[in-house]
Amino acid sequence: EVQLVESGGGLVQPGGSLRLSCAASGFTLSSSWMSWVRQAPGKGLECVATIKQGGSDKYYVDSVKGRFTISIDNAENSLYLQMNSLRAEDTAVYYCARGSGISWGQGTLVTVSS
Amino acid sequence: DVVMTQSPLSLPVTLGQPASISCRSSQSLVHSDGNTYFNWFQQRPGQSPRRLIYKVFNRDSGVPDRFSGSGSGTDFTLKISRVETEDVGVYFCMQHTHWPWTFGQGTKVEI
């Protein structure tokens, strides 16, 4: 059974950093496109970063380019999102998703506030 | 960026009756490989999104056959043939033909 479990969210001050993790089981992460999708409170969905299977190509939405980095650790079968220079508008539940959304984790809440 | 526009944004439904949601994209979603990378998702209250339909009309495993997807190019539709109580939630369309992948605003389906 495919499972995705996110962790690493929390409260951080503006300008701070957080590293989100997504532990995968039931499949090999590097064999799939993987994405981080966020949902601000009461709002819609936004795909902020995607990594191609194998990890060769990475894509970022303009609003996070230069601040967020998506990566994979094959040994841990885990996906990461390093978030730097966080802003209030980054406040959201962050989901990791497999492929074009065939599987989702339960999400982890990131709150950016002083 | 490709803008995905859903209508209606709120959809009151009657149990046992059909329902339909429309999604329009600001540019064609036909990829250079010939595929149209367009999905529908359901998000029940307090839950993560769940993919219902991929590549316009393909139902995911375990999705009831009362859900169907159709459309082409820039215009797409999700139909529920007979609404059930468990169908309450927000429905999102999504394109992954062009980067960044983008979602519609969501349609809230309520009884």
Side-chain angles (χ1 to χ4, degrees):
Chain A
E1 182 196 0
V2 170
Q3 256 200 320
L4 297 168
V5 180
E6 300 95 336
S7 60
L11 174 63
V12 61
Q13 292 191 337
S17 297
L18 273 179
R19 187 196 195 208
L20 305 184
S21 301
C22 172
S25 57
F27 73 106
T28 303
L29 248 180
S30 60
S31 66
S32 293
W33 286 70
M34 294 296 300
S35 298
W36 286 99
V37 179
R38 69 184 178 185
Q39 187 170 34
K43 301 295 183 181
L45 299 163
E46 180 182 35
C47 185
V48 297
T50 293
I51 186 165
K52 191 176 177 180
Q53 60 215 70
S56 56
D57 295 303
K58 303 174 184 182
Y59 305 88
Y60 301 94
V61 71
D62 282 350
S63 59
V64 309
K65 234 175 248 184
R67 300 189 299 124
F68 290 11
T69 303
I70 188 171
S71 62
I72 286 178
D73 183 324
N74 290 323
E76 296 292 324
N77 207 35
S78 291
L79 178 74
Y80 301 99
L81 186 68
Q82 178 66 44
M83 305 187 296
N84 300 329
S85 303
L86 283 161
R87 306 167 180 167
E89 54 266 34
D90 296 318
T91 294
V93 173
Y94 285 73
Y95 298 98
C96 65
R98 179 187 180 197
S100 68
I102 188 172
S103 307
W104 296 68
Q106 84 287 353
T108 186
L109 176 63
V110 171
T111 303
V112 184
S113 174
S114 53
Chain B
D1 296 2
V2 177
V3 177
M4 306 294 283
T5 303
Q6 288 183 231
S7 62
L9 298 185
S10 178
L11 183 58
V13 297
T14 302
L15 292 177
Q17 293 301 303
S20 179
I21 301 170
S22 172
C23 181
R24 179 167 289 179
S25 59
S26 59
Q27 56 184 276
S28 174
L29 300 184
V30 180
H31 194 274
S32 56
D33 66 6
N35 288 305
T36 300
Y37 295 108
F38 177 88
N39 301 338
W40 286 102
F41 294 87
Q42 175 195 62
Q43 188 174 31
R44 291 174 173 149
Q47 295 188 13
S48 302
R50 168 199 183 196
R51 197 177 73 181
L52 300 174
I53 303 285
Y54 65 97
K55 286 199 284 184
V56 183
F57 55 81
N58 298 278
R59 253 191 321 272
D60 273 288
S61 176
V63 174
D65 61 8
R66 64 179 180 274
F67 289 94
S68 63
S70 63
S72 64
T74 61
D75 286 282
F76 304 90
T77 302
L78 175 71
K79 290 183 179 173
I80 310 173
S81 60
R82 293 174 307 279
V83 173
E84 297 192 6
T85 307
E86 64 181 24
D87 301 336
V88 165
V90 181
Y91 291 76
F92 295 94
C93 59
M94 171 209 169
Q95 67 81 24
H96 59 112
T97 296
H98 307 283
W99 182 260
W101 299 354
T102 48
F103 293 85
Q105 321 96 298
T107 295
K108 188 172 185 179
V109 171
E110 48 200 349
I111 307 293

